[in-house]
């Protein structure tokens, strides 16, 4: 575990997770895919919780625990009105209001470090699982 300049604990990111994230960024599949990451409180390390191929936003929502934070990296298949298809990469930080305070702090402290590791600029936060919908994501992406 490391600390940043504010004294906030930052969880480590294992080489296997870094490799998975790198492969995910450059994948060639033509569908919506997500990597869900969690923090191991004992080891103070970020781990892969799930990799979801050929899914949709609703499927991702259903895969998330209702009372524990998660990081979600989504390659979203967006069909534009002019027929083009794009795959924006998004970093979603999910922290339910009723999750354990210590856990919320671990996730919050590690968020920027993980985001930099993923080289992702599109970052969105949600507090309620019900907020994570396709309509919400399209609005965040400025496509609505």
């Amino acid at each position: 575990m490391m600390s940043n300049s504010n004294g906030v604990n930052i969880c480590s990111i294992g080489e296997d997770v870094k490799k998975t994230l790198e492969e995910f960024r450059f994948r060639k599949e033509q569908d919506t895919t997500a990597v869900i990451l969690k923090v191991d409180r004992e080891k103070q390390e970020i781990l892969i919780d799930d990799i979801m191929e050929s899914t949709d936003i609703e499927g991702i929502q259903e895969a998330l625990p209702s009372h524990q934070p998660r990081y979600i990296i989504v390659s979203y298949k967006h069909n534009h009105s002019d027929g083009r298809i794009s795959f924006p990469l998004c970093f979603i930080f999910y922290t339910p209001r009723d999750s354990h305070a210590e856990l919320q702090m671990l996730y919050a402290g590690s968020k920027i470090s993980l985001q930099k590791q993923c080289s992702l600029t599109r970052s969105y936060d949600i507090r309620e699982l019900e907020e994570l919908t396709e309509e919400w994501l399209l609005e965040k992406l400025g496509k609505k």
Side-chain angles (χ1 to χ4, degrees), residues 16-79:
D16 56 332
V17 173
K18 289 178 183 176
K19 186 174 184 291
T20 299
L21 293 173
E22 187 71 14
E23 288 169 359
F24 184 74
R25 284 196 56 202
F26 298 105
R27 67 185 200 84
K28 300 286 182 245
E29 285 78 12
Q30 299 293 306
D31 53 13
T32 296
T33 307
V35 174
I36 300 173
L37 301 159
K38 66 180 179 181
V39 167
D40 181 321
R41 218 158 67 183
E42 312 301 304
K43 295 180 182 167
Q44 306 267 303
E45 185 178 3
I46 295 172
L47 305 171
I48 292 172
D49 189 31
D50 200 356
I51 297 176
M52 303 178 72
E53 302 276 345
S54 302
T55 189
D56 57 18
I57 301 303
E58 195 175 82
I60 296 167
Q61 184 194 59
E62 288 170 8
L64 295 171
S66 59
H67 300 296
Q68 292 181 349
R70 289 293 185 269
Y71 304 112
I72 307 122
I73 299 161
V74 179
S75 172
Y76 176 69
K77 180 178 183 178
H78 179 62
N79 296 300

Side-chain angles (χ1 to χ4, degrees), residues 1 5 8 21 34 36 47 53 66 70 87-88 94-95 98 104 120 130-131 139:
M1 174 179 44
S5 58
V8 176
L21 293 173
I36 300 173
L47 305 171
E53 302 276 345
S66 59
R70 289 293 185 269
F87 294 89
Y94 165 58
T95 49
D98 56 357
Q104 284 189 38
L120 294 177
E130 299 75 44
E131 289 176 40
E139 192 176 294

Side-chain angles (χ1 to χ4, degrees), residues 116-134:
K116 282 181 182 162
Q117 178 65 46
C118 302
S119 302
L120 294 177
T121 52
R122 289 186 187 99
S123 175
Y124 313 113
D125 294 4
I126 60 169
R127 301 286 280 174
E128 306 292 335
L129 209 44
E130 299 75 44
E131 289 176 40
L132 184 58
T133 63
E134 192 153 9

Side-chain angles (χ1 to χ4, degrees), residues 86-101:
S86 64
F87 294 89
L89 274 176
C90 309
F91 181 91
I92 301 171
F93 178 39
Y94 165 58
T95 49
R97 295 180 206 290
D98 56 357
S99 60
H100 193 276

